[in-house]
Amino acid sequence: MFTLQILVNGIVLGCLYACIAAGFSLVWGVLNVINLMHGSFIVLGSYLAWGAYNSMGLSPWLTLAIAAPLFYAIGYAVQRGLLNRVIAAPVLVTLTLTFGLDLILNNAMILAFKADYRRLILEPPLGTVALGDIVVPIDRLVAMGFALVLTGALYVILRKSKVGRAIIAVRLDRDAATLMGVQVKSTYAAAFGLGAAMAGCAGVLLALIFPISPLSATPYLGKAFVVCVLGGLGSVPGAVVGGLVLGLVESFGAMAFGPEHAVTLSFALLILFLIFRPQGLLGKRGFE
């Protein structure tokens, strides 16, 4: 029964990891830009949830309705105003630019909130649900449900909407998409906006589970890297599979070797995949 409890914990965690990585994978896969601000966007989303709840009593579920358009607008503006200017440059240039922007954003959060850890604690608490000896906090289950809905919504947007089809077309062949009338720079900005929106919403959900601090940005970014490599760059289903794999590895690894070794195990898995299966489990050429 203890093993089942660990399995459930890993699945819950994995769904949240999928939400973290889906936007990161979208930006990397479509724009060929490694967005080093992704972790800071997640932390900023957590602060948004924490501030909205403590100052206005707004529940994190309602805060998602604010976070999604707000972070989309931020991401769209960053891509349109800054990254589009160097998008044709070598990847090292965009990497350096996002690194510099991340330093600015992260230090701004440290200045505003300090490096102290904060917690978003719902009052009254939602309690737990028990199935036999398996016990799961309800807030984690709700967060998992929203994470799956958000990841599914991203998949539907990419598959069914006009902007989603433009994003996939640009990913597959930018020159051909341009000849077909696709506005490439606007499409890039939309893709980056969607990635930022996913990061901000993931941060809102994670605020219910993990302490909030600007220092958490780097670990979140690292998990996004690992999930992308495990699942395969350019695939929303791959982000889900990669997230579940990482969640289960961390949960069972923490049980076997101690929680202090969970991060080491996840990066050991990353190295193994880079050596033996660099395309990941579900990696495809086009993002879908």
Side-chain angles (χ1 to χ4, degrees), residues 3-18 223 227 230 240-257 262 265-266 269 281:
T3 302
L4 287 177
Q5 178 71 62
I6 300 298
L7 178 66
V8 171
N9 292 344
I11 291 173
V12 172
L13 204 56
C15 292
L16 291 167
Y17 287 166
K223 291 183 189 301
V227 171
L230 294 183
V240 175
V241 172
L244 288 173
V245 171
L246 179 61
L248 292 172
V249 166
E250 284 195 355
S251 296
F252 282 101
M255 180 185 69
F257 304 105
L265 287 171
S266 62
L269 191 63
L281 294 171

Side-chain angles (χ1 to χ4, degrees), residues 26 72 75-76 79 163 167 184-195:
L26 171 65
Y72 178 86
Y76 191 97
Q79 177 66 35
V163 67
I167 289 172
V184 174
K185 289 187 176 180
S186 297
T187 304
Y188 280 160
F192 199 91
L194 286 173

Side-chain angles (χ1 to χ4, degrees), residues 174-206:
R174 185 178 63 183
D175 294 333
T178 303
L179 291 175
M180 296 301 293
V182 175
Q183 299 295 320
V184 174
K185 289 187 176 180
S186 297
T187 304
Y188 280 160
F192 199 91
L194 286 173
M198 288 296 293
C201 290
V204 171
L205 299 175
L206 290 168

Side-chain angles (χ1 to χ4, degrees), residues 16 19 49 60-61 64 142-143 146-147 150 200-209:
L16 291 167
C19 190
W61 330 124
L64 287 173
V142 177
F146 273 104
L150 288 168
C201 290
V204 171
L205 299 175
L206 290 168
L208 290 163
I209 301 171

Side-chain angles (χ1 to χ4, degrees), residues 90-177:
V91 68
L92 188 60
V93 175
T94 56
L95 188 71
T96 304
L97 180 54
T98 59
F99 177 68
L101 292 172
D102 178 62
L103 285 179
I104 294 172
L105 178 58
N106 201 267
N107 280 280
M109 287 193 291
I110 292 176
L111 190 64
F113 304 107
K114 310 301 179 187
D116 301 333
Y117 284 92
R118 303 165 192 263
R119 290 298 303 267
L120 196 164
I121 301 174
L122 296 178
E123 292 293 346
L126 298 181
T128 59
V129 59
L131 181 62
D133 292 336
I134 300 173
V135 179
V136 184
I138 293 176
D139 54 359
R140 290 196 175 205
L141 287 177
V142 177
M144 180 187 74
F146 273 104
L148 289 175
V149 169
L150 288 168
T151 307
L154 178 63
Y155 181 80
V156 171
I157 288 173
L158 292 173
R159 296 280 294 183
K160 302 296 183 182
S161 71
K162 184 177 179 181
V163 67
R165 292 180 184 278
I167 289 172
I168 293 175
V170 170
R171 169 69 177 101
L172 290 172
D173 192 328
R174 185 178 63 183
D175 294 333

